[in-house]
């Protein structure tokens, strides 16, 4: 009988690590229960591990709670499973249960536990306790523990603590270098982040992507693009993340040739066919660079479009003066059963504004709330105010602004001001211009607008007063940043 159990056990373990595990998990679970293998630490540990990788920890928890005497391997599997996607506090609770049973933690307990504490909101203090446990048990020099501690501290902005552990590491792989660089950038220390990057003896594509992304997010697009070119010159091939990160930089800098070159690289490597994000980034790039033809061709040939793909194309058509096509594309999207989101309606309402389709815009605005249960944001109201204002419905635009659940921003007041001036309603335009100055007293453009309104009325003394006020205002420009790469 024991021989039969061993054979069944081997069969179940083989199934757990087979290619069809995901589709046969129910069958494997039934095998475990039928042959009473739910009392086998080894089988259950492997089963729990697979459940964790497939985000089915509810099933793992059920079988764990029926196990009378779990050992460290089973606890480790459960702790790791919850550390992958949460709830992260469950990993901490299991660790506490494990200690109460007198089971000593090892490296494979503490490493995922540190990961759980890093991802747990407010988990720094718990993570520090785990770090202390690693010190007491002598696991603090294990590489997986060091990486977990560095991730914990750098993710919580404790870069002094992170750097101390980093300095004590005997072997530093590319993962821990990347964690340190990301940590310094998140803390705003660009110089230290770049310094660490330059100290790396070995880099991965992830390292380059990280640096390019961090520089771009810090408003240093020029340096980011230079680093991309350096990456290519050093023999690294761009991947999906490189393309998606670099194309918006090319857009902002107007580097159409480099963007087109990235397109050719992505095409030759099959990145467009394999990753919808790459196709979306290229559609967005060409649209924002004022060339909707290659964007339309790319969009048409994309095999796996998602809602972001449709949004990019609809907004792009509006941006390129082809708003009617944008509305038609929205209708096609709905016919094909793609559910629109907030961004979709921003794009199609912009199309309505550019075409002057007031009634269609109003219908879409109502449909967004009634049919799709999407609460309008300030951006949606901005589109509607722009639509109404530029098409002569100023009273309706003003009433809509008053009914908004948000305080109108400068862009909305600006749209209304433009419409009022074009209609010659200088009295109300004056009130709106003053509202703009109260919202943005630092913006010299608002003073110019008010001055122009007074000029429209022939109030030259008021024009002079505004000019003197503007001249006497201390409007300061924010300090720039520089970094040597």
């Amino acid at each position: 009988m024991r021989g039969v159990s061993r054979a069944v056990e081997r069969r179940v373990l083989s199934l757990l690590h087979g290619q069809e595990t995901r589709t046969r998990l129910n069958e494997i679970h039934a095998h475990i229960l039928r042959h009473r293998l739910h009392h086998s630490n080894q089988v259950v540990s492997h089963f729990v591990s697979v459940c964790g990788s497939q985000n089915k920890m509810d099933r793992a928890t059920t079988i764990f709670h029926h196990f009378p005497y779990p050992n460290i391997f089973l606890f480790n599997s459960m702790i790791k499973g919850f550390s992958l996607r949460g709830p992260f506090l469950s990993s901490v609770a299991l660790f506490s249960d494990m200690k109460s049973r007198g089971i000593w933690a090892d490296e494979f307990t503490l490493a995922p536990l540190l990961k759980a504490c890093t991802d747990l909101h407010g988990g720094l203090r718990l993570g520090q306790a785990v770090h202390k446990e690693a010190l007491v048990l002598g696991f603090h020099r294990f590489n997986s523990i060091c990486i977990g501690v560095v991730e914990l501290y750098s993710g919580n902005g404790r870069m002094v603590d992170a750097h101390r552990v980093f300095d004590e590491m005997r072997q530093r792989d590319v993962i821990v270098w990347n964690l340190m660089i990301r940590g310094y950038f998140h803390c705003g220390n660009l110089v230290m982040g770049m310094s660490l990057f330059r100290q790396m003896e070995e880099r991965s594509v992830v390292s380059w992507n990280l640096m390019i992304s961090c520089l771009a997010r810090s408003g240093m697009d020029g340096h980011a693009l230079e680093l991309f070119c350096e990456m290519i010159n050093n023999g690294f091939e761009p991947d999906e993340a490189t393309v998606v990160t670099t194309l918006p930089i090319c857009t902002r800098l107007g580097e159409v040739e480099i963007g087109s070159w990235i397109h050719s690289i992505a095409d030759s490597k099959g990145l467009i066919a394999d990753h919808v994000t790459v196709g979306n980034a290229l559609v967005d790039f060409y649209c924002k660079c004022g060339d909707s033809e290659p964007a339309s061709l790319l969009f048409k040939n994309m095999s796996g479009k998602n809602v972001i793909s449709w949004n990019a194309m609809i907004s792009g058509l509006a941006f390129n003066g082809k708003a009617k096509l944008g509305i038609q594309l929205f209708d096609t999207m709905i016919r094909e059963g793609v559910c629109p989101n907030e961004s979709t309606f921003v794009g199609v309402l912009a199309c309505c504004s550019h075409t002057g389709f007031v009634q269609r815009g109003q219908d879409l605005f109502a449909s967004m709330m009634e049919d799709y249960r999407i609460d309008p944001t300030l951006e949606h109201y901005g589109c509607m105010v722009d639509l109404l204002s530029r098409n002569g419905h100023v009273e309706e635009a003003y009433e809509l602004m008053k009914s908004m659940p948000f305080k109108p921003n400068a862009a909305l007041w600006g749209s209304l001001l433009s419409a009022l001036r074009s209609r010659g309603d200088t009295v109300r335009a004056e009130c709106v211009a003053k509202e703009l100055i109260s919202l943005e007293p630092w913006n010299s453009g608002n003073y110019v607008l008010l001055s122009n309104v007074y000029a429209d009325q022939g109030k030259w003394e008021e024009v002079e007063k505004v000019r003197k006020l503007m001249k006497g205002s201390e409007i300061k420009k924010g300090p720039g940043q520089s970094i040597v790469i």
Side-chain angles (χ1 to χ4, degrees), residues 330-380:
F330 173 80
D331 293 335
T332 303
M333 172 185 177
I334 300 303
R335 283 197 302 272
E336 293 192 10
V338 182
C339 185
N341 62 14
E342 290 183 5
S343 298
T344 316
F345 282 99
V346 170
V348 74
L349 287 173
C351 288
C352 292
S353 183
H354 293 315
T355 54
F357 291 175
V358 176
Q359 188 59 54
R360 183 68 198 277
Q362 290 174 321
D363 292 342
L364 285 167
F365 189 69
S367 172
M368 177 178 73
M369 295 178 280
E370 295 168 8
D371 300 332
Y372 297 100
R373 301 291 185 266
I374 298 173
D375 293 326
T377 64
L378 189 60
E379 197 171 6
H380 294 114

Side-chain angles (χ1 to χ4, degrees), residues 4-21:
V4 173
S5 297
R6 287 287 189 191
V8 173
E9 191 172 299
R10 285 196 296 272
R11 169 65 177 158
V12 169
L13 289 172
S14 175
L15 286 171
L16 279 170
H17 298 288
Q19 293 182 347
E20 300 177 357
T21 301

Side-chain angles (χ1 to χ4, degrees), residues 429-445:
E430 179 183 343
C431 296
V432 172
K434 288 178 178 178
E435 191 73 40
L436 272 170
I437 288 176
S438 69
L439 272 176
E440 297 178 344
W442 44 265
N443 188 342
S444 60

Side-chain angles (χ1 to χ4, degrees), residues 389 394 417-425:
S389 297
V394 182
L417 176 59
S418 177
L420 289 168
R421 287 190 66 199
S422 65
R423 287 185 64 193
D425 190 345

Side-chain angles (χ1 to χ4, degrees), residues 417 421 426-427 429-431 433-434 437 446-467 469:
L417 176 59
R421 287 190 66 199
T426 54
V427 175
E430 179 183 343
C431 296
K434 288 178 178 178
I437 288 176
N446 293 332
Y447 295 88
V448 174
L449 286 170
L450 180 58
S451 175
N452 291 339
V453 170
Y454 284 134
D456 293 338
Q457 300 174 27
K459 296 181 177 180
W460 303 111
E461 288 184 6
E462 296 299 326
V463 169
E464 189 60 30
K465 285 181 183 178
V466 172
R467 287 178 178 170
L469 179 64

